[in-house]
Amino acid sequence: MKQRWRFWAWIALIWLISTLVDRIWWTQQSGVPAWDQADYLNSALDHGRALGLLPGGGWQGWKALLDLSPKIPPLASLVNGTVMAISGDDPAQAAWSLSLWHGLLLVAMAGWGRRLQGDGLALLACALASITPALMDLRTDYVLELPLAAMGSLALWRLGCWCDPQRGGRWWQVALATGFSLGAVLVKQSALLMLTPAGLWAAVLVFRRRGRWWRQALLLPLLTAVMVGPWLRHNWITSLGGTNRAVFESAAREGDPGVLSLENWLWYPRLLPEQLGAVLLMVGLTGLLLWCVQQQRQARLGDSLDGSWSWSWLLINLLATWLLTSLSPNKGDRYIAPLLPMLLLLLARGWWQWGLWLHKHRPRFPGPLLAIGLLACVPAGWSLQTERLADRPRGPLRALVEAAGGADPNQPPRTLIVVPSTADLNQHNISFYGRRRGGQLVGRQLGSSSGDLEPVLGRAEWVVLAEGNQGSVRKSAHQLDRAVRTSGVFESVERFKRPDGDSYSLWRRRDDAEPEGNFADLFPDLASGLAAGVAGLDPVFSAVGREHMLDGHFTYRGDVRWKAEQQLLLNPEDPQPQWSLALLAVLANRPDEASRHFAVLERLEPNNPWPAAYRSVVTLAGWNPWSAAAVADAANARTPDPILQALGDLGGVLGGAFWRIPSALSTVPQAVERVEEALRKTSQEQASS
């Protein structure tokens, strides 16, 4: 027991020293979070507010909480938001959550290392992890790869413990393994790249061993339904869409190499000298070669190999994770981070082997040389951190946000239209700084389309422009910039200098330039247009999309709902307010509520097939394919329609009616083609008008 406490005390000391180094780094940096970092900070802020822990929000129920994570699972944001409530919402204060995740990673590596080789290897691996450049970077970069690495390592360690043929097979082991695995998935979907090979291996072992292993494996579907089911059911469509954009569309846009090219397979290995440091990598690899030679000698002599099961589990999962990560089309330095802990455990074994060799040949040298080797690894990590201090985006973001009324809970909710898009100023970091301390200022990016010009001139209240470099914007953004400056609708409030000599300027709508129209008044007609079917979709969602950019708080929804409810009190048989309420429910991701309104519309408009079609779609979105198929089939029997038939076939197949697959293979493509043709026709008509 004493030895165990001493071991964990050393792990705690490693964590404290590395955290102290991180805090020193935060005191020296003066930059602001860029795009992704600000986006994740916003997510943490949103979840902290939704839990009632941060000012500017409060508990509104589980559905409202699930609304906050439509693309990325919520676990990291829930933890980060809770830490933010304790530490503060400045980026440096919020980064205490990264220290927490780092501590969790050290626990995983310590436990895994002890199982592989004992206390010495575990401490060495944790020490290497604390000075590895890539992990030092992630400890001070507000992204999700460090939480993912921590939870993924915990999951693989505990899953390996459960699968161990000699020491595994216990209920508490499978409970921990399953819980941590699902926790990793709830951090980020890419955890599946780590866990899928291990899960398949575990499934094969369960199938072979049977008995209690089968009973224990039942925990996976049960805990999945409890832990992941609610979020996945609520957000599965947006999650799939977000994954497609993040993985496939981003890869195509950024020009990443094809998965079959040599460049693709060398993409991540070529980063290792920079990510790990040359000294750490060289000593570890040469030590591994020495270890392999020793293992071969043992095998020839008939001796048992060094922890063969545990090392096989580590090595195979390491290679499988690298393989699947390389097969992912989208490439990025940090995407390989989740496998670095496994790689460091393996390299630590190489370092350990050199220690054993020295102890045998030069007994006095191992300790001092180990210390010298670790110190030799430090400059690589610290030099990278020093470079990051210089590379951090700097600008007048805070001052600009405060001038626009951000970070002030006494100011009313407002939306700031952001035309430029740079690392030091964009819609994401404006929203974060604008909502700190209970503020209600959000940023929205407009200017990517020429169609944004008229809505901004007609409706926007606040706009920020750039003089000089405008960042990653299109030609249409420059047109919008000129229009705001020359239209006479806006007046310049203040100009803010940038470190590079350029500037940003804040513009406000003139008092004598009243905003055009009220979207709440236009909404009922747009919603009623859905009765025309596909032809009504594009006008609705184009107008709603623009409004959500102009009004980041969606203030129109309250007025629309109140007016619709008042209309129903006067005339319960009026279909128009039902269309408004149904569309509001769709926009708010409330499929059950939308289904109820569409059901009423089916009754009120019995000859119109579209209420049933919409009801089938939202029911399917609510993860109820059986009801979706029933609704579509019943409506198709009353009013035959190819789209209804396709929806019935699709819902039936997803619900397990596999005999409908032949029909679905015919009806679904035809329905998709019909919808696309109608959308093209609508777009052409709008363009000509």
Side-chain angles (χ1 to χ4, degrees), residues 355-400:
L356 295 176
W357 187 88
L358 287 170
H359 182 74
K360 181 178 179 181
H361 296 87
R362 298 288 190 272
R364 297 181 180 181
F365 287 1
L369 287 178
L370 175 63
I372 294 172
L374 291 174
L375 289 174
C377 295
V378 171
W382 188 246
S383 68
L384 177 63
Q385 290 296 82
T386 304
E387 292 176 7
R388 290 183 62 238
L389 286 174
D391 293 340
R392 292 271 291 181
R394 293 172 174 81
L397 175 62
R398 293 179 176 87
L400 189 151

Side-chain angles (χ1 to χ4, degrees), residues 40 71-73 144-145 148-149 152 181 184-197 239 243 247 321 324-325 328 334-336 338-339:
Y40 292 128
K71 301 175 185 177
I72 302 294
L144 295 185
E145 272 61 38
L148 179 60
S181 298
V185 174
L186 283 173
V187 169
K188 200 174 184 181
Q189 300 96 318
S190 55
L192 293 173
L193 298 176
M194 299 177 66
L195 300 176
T196 298
S239 177
T243 301
V247 176
T321 302
L324 291 184
T325 304
S328 176
R334 69 176 191 258
Y335 297 156
I336 202 66
L339 67 75

Side-chain angles (χ1 to χ4, degrees), residues 19-291:
T19 299
L20 177 61
V21 172
D22 296 342
R23 300 318 302 179
I24 293 173
W25 187 91
W26 280 108
T27 62
Q28 298 301 308
Q29 74 87 31
S30 57
V32 296
W35 294 277
D36 288 355
Q37 293 81 358
D39 200 18
Y40 292 128
L41 282 165
N42 275 312
S43 183
L45 187 63
D46 286 336
H47 286 78
R49 284 183 166 186
L51 293 173
L53 302 175
L54 290 170
W59 178 254
Q60 298 181 8
W62 288 107
K63 288 185 177 180
L65 183 64
L66 295 174
D67 289 338
L68 302 176
S69 53
K71 301 175 185 177
I72 302 294
L75 180 59
S77 294
L78 288 169
V79 174
N80 296 347
T82 303
V83 173
M84 189 181 289
I86 300 171
S87 63
D89 60 7
D90 183 83
Q93 297 169 332
W96 276 105
S97 62
L98 297 176
S99 299
L100 177 65
W101 291 113
H102 174 55
L104 195 63
L105 176 62
L106 291 180
V107 169
M109 293 186 66
W112 203 344
R114 292 184 82 186
R115 195 169 187 90
L116 289 167
Q117 195 77 29
D119 292 0
L121 178 77
L123 289 171
L124 178 58
C126 290
L128 293 175
S130 68
I131 58 178
T132 297
L135 293 181
M136 291 182 70
D137 181 349
L138 292 177
R139 297 203 313 260
T140 52
D141 196 17
Y142 212 91
V143 291
L144 295 185
E145 272 61 38
L146 184 60
L148 179 60
M151 291 301 299
S153 299
L154 278 171
L156 289 178
W157 163 42
R158 296 313 313 177
L159 189 58
C161 293
W162 177 58
C163 293
D164 192 314
Q166 297 181 344
R167 295 180 288 175
R170 294 175 172 81
W171 278 98
W172 67 270
Q173 291 175 329
V174 70
L176 287 176
T178 305
F180 287 138
S181 298
L182 296 175
V185 174
L186 283 173
V187 169
K188 200 174 184 181
Q189 300 96 318
S190 55
L192 293 173
L193 298 176
M194 299 177 66
L195 300 176
T196 298
L200 292 174
W201 190 353
V204 172
L205 294 176
V206 168
F207 181 78
R208 289 178 176 177
R209 295 169 182 175
R210 306 190 179 190
R212 71 177 188 278
W213 295 84
W214 283 25
R215 295 190 296 273
Q216 292 173 0
L218 292 176
L219 277 180
L220 177 60
L222 294 175
L223 289 181
T224 299
V226 174
M227 295 178 62
V228 182
W231 175 81
L232 189 59
R233 181 180 184 273
H234 193 74
N235 294 301
W236 70 278
I237 293 178
T238 52
S239 177
L240 288 175
T243 301
N244 176 65
R245 287 190 293 272
V247 176
F248 299 100
E249 293 182 8
S250 294
R253 186 171 56 254
E254 297 168 4
D256 291 329
V259 296
L260 300 180
S261 66
L262 180 62
E263 183 183 0
N264 174 73
W265 296 106
L266 296 178
W267 182 275
Y268 291 114
R270 67 179 176 83
L271 298 177
L272 292 180
E274 181 181 357
Q275 290 185 321
L276 301 180
V279 175
L280 191 158
L281 188 61
M282 181 180 63
V283 175
L285 290 177
T286 54
L288 286 175
L289 289 175
L290 186 62
W291 181 41

Side-chain angles (χ1 to χ4, degrees), residues 620 625 629 645-655 660 664 667-668:
L620 189 62
Q645 185 178 352
L647 288 170
D649 289 336
L650 180 61
V653 172
L654 294 177
R660 301 185 68 165
T667 59
V668 172

